[in-house]
Amino acid sequence: MIWSNMEYVTLRIIRRFFFSGQMLDKLGGWMPYWRVNQGLLDPEPIVTAWQRLAREAGPECPDLRGKRVAELGCGAANGTGYEWTARLGGRWIGVEPFARFDADLDERVFQQVCWRFPGASRMTVSRVASLDALETGSVDVVVSNSVLEHVRNPLDAFRQCWRVLAPGGVMLHQVDYRDHFFKYPFHFLTFSQAMWDNLLDPGDLPRHRLDDHLDDLARAGFEARVLERQSDPRALAAVAPFLDPAFARRDRDMLATTTAAIFCRKPL
């Protein structure tokens, strides 16, 4: 038995049954070991990271300027869209099936961007509830930040991305593979699927690992490679004797992955 599971399970049950996503957005700063989504605070570091990853991808990644971009899981505001188009031009579409649009938050983030880029505009920024709303081949770049770890069926999502991307289109995904109670990055791998699904999962943490995503990207037709990866083998070793059998049989290096940046390309 992992004694820290007494605290962990208690926090997970509280998280599942007493805190909605909107409540966590407001109270996350006081939730033990929880981290509020950066996009709700300032979109600047997120867009900067995408630009850095595009450079790391090398010649396979086209110049991002002037492109048609779709962001998966943009959240309650269009902040990254304002930041992206102010820097790089083009058009940005946020795809958000779950978070309700928050006009007040959107205005605050827009004013933040305007302070850095006085010419920032809302005219080239829009949002939809689903990739189904986008036409085939209508997008040049798909991006996401801390979203793929929440997608229950990534293969379906990647096939939809393949459809909306034009030939030669690319994707840049930043993925956080830790449990989102960051003090316990791998405790969630010690529970059976039934216990996780019925008691502990907040509803949006299916426990996919990096190799799961790479396999699904290949099945969807993408050429994918990992640009950056961080791991915490020491934290994994602390729970290794208690891993659920479904995870105990898997590659430990992949299990120890905490964050990764994935570059994908749709062949011409």
Side-chain angles (χ1 to χ4, degrees):
M1 175 181 178
I2 308 176
W3 289 107
S4 55
N5 265 352
M6 296 179 67
E7 178 184 36
Y8 177 80
V9 169
T10 300
L11 289 171
R12 268 276 157 236
I13 291 173
I14 292 172
R15 165 66 184 92
R16 172 160 185 166
F17 294 105
F18 295 96
F19 285 88
S20 67
Q22 287 183 322
M23 288 176 66
L24 276 177
D25 290 344
K26 296 178 180 179
L27 304 176
W30 291 273
M31 190 75 173
Y33 322 129
W34 190 266
R35 187 174 302 169
V36 177
N37 189 318
Q38 175 66 45
L40 298 177
L41 305 175
D42 184 2
E44 189 275 334
I46 299 173
V47 178
T48 295
W50 284 326
Q51 288 186 279
R52 185 190 73 248
L53 294 173
R55 291 192 296 269
E56 289 183 21
E60 286 184 293
C61 187
D63 188 338
L64 298 179
R65 287 175 294 184
K67 293 295 187 291
R68 302 165 297 174
V69 57
E71 180 184 352
L72 306 183
C74 62
N78 299 333
T80 46
Y82 303 137
E83 184 78 21
W84 180 291
T85 54
R87 291 194 200 189
L88 299 167
R91 302 192 67 85
W92 177 96
I93 300 174
V95 182
E96 180 49 70
F98 302 111
R100 295 177 60 184
F101 181 68
D102 185 329
D104 291 338
L105 173 63
D106 188 77
E107 177 62 24
R108 290 198 300 272
V109 180
F110 179 65
Q111 292 304 324
Q112 278 185 313
V113 175
C114 287
W115 185 81
R116 289 190 294 270
F117 300 97
S121 171
R122 300 181 188 269
M123 298 299 294
T124 54
V125 171
S126 59
R127 59 191 287 136
V128 296
S130 169
L131 284 167
D132 292 335
L134 303 185
E135 295 182 4
T136 298
S138 62
V139 170
D140 303 306
V141 182
V142 172
V143 294
S144 74
N145 178 68
S146 293
V147 168
L148 288 190
E149 67 267 25
H150 300 296
V151 176
R152 291 221 165 260
N153 193 328
L155 179 57
D156 283 355
F158 295 149
R159 284 172 172 162
Q160 274 283 60
C161 290
W162 176 277
R163 182 186 65 80
V164 303
L165 274 170
V170 299
M171 301 199 295
L172 295 166
H173 297 293
Q174 301 180 87
V175 194
D176 192 337
Y177 290 101
R178 298 168 293 180
D179 188 325
H180 286 23
F181 282 120
F182 294 101
K183 181 181 177 181
Y184 302 112
F186 301 120
H187 275 49
F188 66 164
L189 303 181
T190 67
F191 300 98
S192 70
Q193 194 66 47
M195 185 172 183
W196 184 252
D197 289 344
N198 296 319
L199 188 64
L200 302 177
D201 184 4
D204 61 357
L205 208 57
R207 304 190 293 180
H208 297 310
R209 314 313 296 155
L210 174 59
D211 48 352
D212 295 322
H213 285 146
L214 294 176
D215 288 347
D216 283 344
L217 284 163
R219 291 171 65 191
F222 286 102
E223 301 169 353
R225 57 190 172 96
V226 178
L227 298 177
E228 297 177 354
R229 183 168 76 97
Q230 294 184 330
S231 62
D232 192 344
R234 185 174 179 178
L236 181 67
V239 301
F242 309 98
L243 289 172
D244 181 73
F247 293 104
R249 295 187 292 266
R250 298 185 57 170
D251 181 272
R252 294 297 173 90
D253 186 45
M254 283 291 173
L255 288 181
T257 300
T258 54
T259 61
I262 307 172
F263 169 75
C264 314
R265 182 175 177 271
K266 179 179 179 178
L268 290 167

